[in-house]
Amino acid sequence: MAEVGGWIWERNLRSFLELLSQYVGYGFDATDWETVALAVEATDDERPDGWYSYSLVGEHRQVEVGLARAVGGDELMVAVRGTLTPELEVRADTLLAAFAAG
C-alpha cells in the first residue's frame, strides 16, 4: 500500500478526480461528481474522523482518495492510497502539484 498526499485548491477537485480516474481506467461521471461534491462539504481536515474517502475502481488500478477541507481556507487536503505503480505515484503527485498552483 502506497500513499501520495498533499493539497489542491477546492475549485480544482473535479478536474483532479477526472484526470486521476483516467489514469486508473475509471469512468468518472456526473453522478460520481455529485456524490463527492456533496460529501466534501461536511469534511474537516482538523478532525481525525473529518475525512471523506472515495474509491476509484478502474481497469488498471484501484485507489482510495481521501479528501478533507482545510478549516478557514479554500484548500482541500488529498490523500491517494492503493497499490500504486511508480508511474501512478508520479502522476498523482504531479496532479497535486499542478492543482495546488494558481
Side-chain angles (χ1 to χ4, degrees):
M1 243 349 213
E3 181 174 321
V4 175
W7 68 274
I8 61 173
W9 295 112
E10 189 170 352
R11 67 180 175 268
N12 294 331
L13 178 58
R14 185 173 189 165
S15 296
F16 173 85
L17 291 172
E18 287 172 344
L19 286 169
L20 183 61
S21 293
Q22 287 180 10
Y23 296 145
V24 299
Y26 178 74
F28 191 86
D29 62 19
T31 302
D32 292 297
W33 172 242
E34 290 170 10
T35 301
V36 171
L38 187 63
V40 165
E41 290 180 21
T43 62
D44 178 344
D45 73 331
E46 293 183 356
R47 290 189 356 246
D49 64 343
W51 285 66
Y52 173 71
S53 185
Y54 196 76
S55 295
L56 302 175
V57 181
E59 300 169 21
H60 315 297
R61 293 268 160 225
Q62 174 177 344
V63 297
E64 280 293 311
V65 182
L67 303 165
R69 294 172 110 181
V71 175
D74 295 325
E75 301 90 355
L76 191 67
M77 303 306 295
V78 179
V80 179
R81 297 178 199 92
T83 51
L84 307 176
T85 63
E87 179 184 359
L88 187 53
E89 280 189 58
V90 169
R91 286 180 169 190
D93 192 52
T94 301
L95 287 175
L96 288 168
F99 289 120

